Amino acid sequence: MKESLQEEIEENTELPEDADLSEEVKKFVRRERNKVYNPGISTEEVATEFGISMETAHDALDESPHLDSKEVGDQHIWW
């Protein structure tokens, strides 16, 4: 069990070489959405989680089936 939320945020998800990034980010968003404290997630949070660029994260999220998004200011929120 993580000692703090910060430790959880700081850990990057390791992906296998053959992983479908769009599918993996969809799973991550769904897992985060089900948490009471954080029902949505930003593109930046996904980029941080997977250690990828914001552009790559946005593209993967945009290609992920069954995710909804909303532009809030200069960020996208996904759920």
Side-chain angles (χ1 to χ4, degrees):
M1 178 170 226
K2 306 283 187 273
E3 289 185 15
S4 71
L5 177 59
Q6 188 63 33
E7 282 182 26
E8 183 176 345
I9 291 170
E10 289 175 357
E11 287 187 8
N12 285 352
T13 300
E14 295 292 325
L15 294 174
E17 287 291 321
D18 61 344
D20 177 355
L21 186 57
S22 296
E23 187 64 28
E24 293 302 316
V25 298
K26 180 183 83 172
K27 290 176 190 176
F28 178 67
V29 171
R30 299 260 169 149
R31 185 175 67 237
E32 291 298 308
R33 182 182 68 192
N34 289 326
K35 294 182 178 178
V36 173
Y37 72 90
N38 193 15
I41 190 160
S42 70
T43 305
E44 183 175 6
E45 290 172 300
V46 172
T48 300
E49 175 69 20
F50 290 95
I52 57 178
S53 71
M54 292 272 289
E55 184 178 337
T56 300
H58 187 275
D59 290 346
L61 286 159
D62 200 39
E63 294 170 7
S64 296
H66 311 296
L67 290 181
D68 292 315
S69 71
K70 178 179 178 180
E71 191 168 338
V72 179
D74 61 348
Q75 290 192 0
H76 267 85
I77 304 298
W78 306 85
W79 64 93

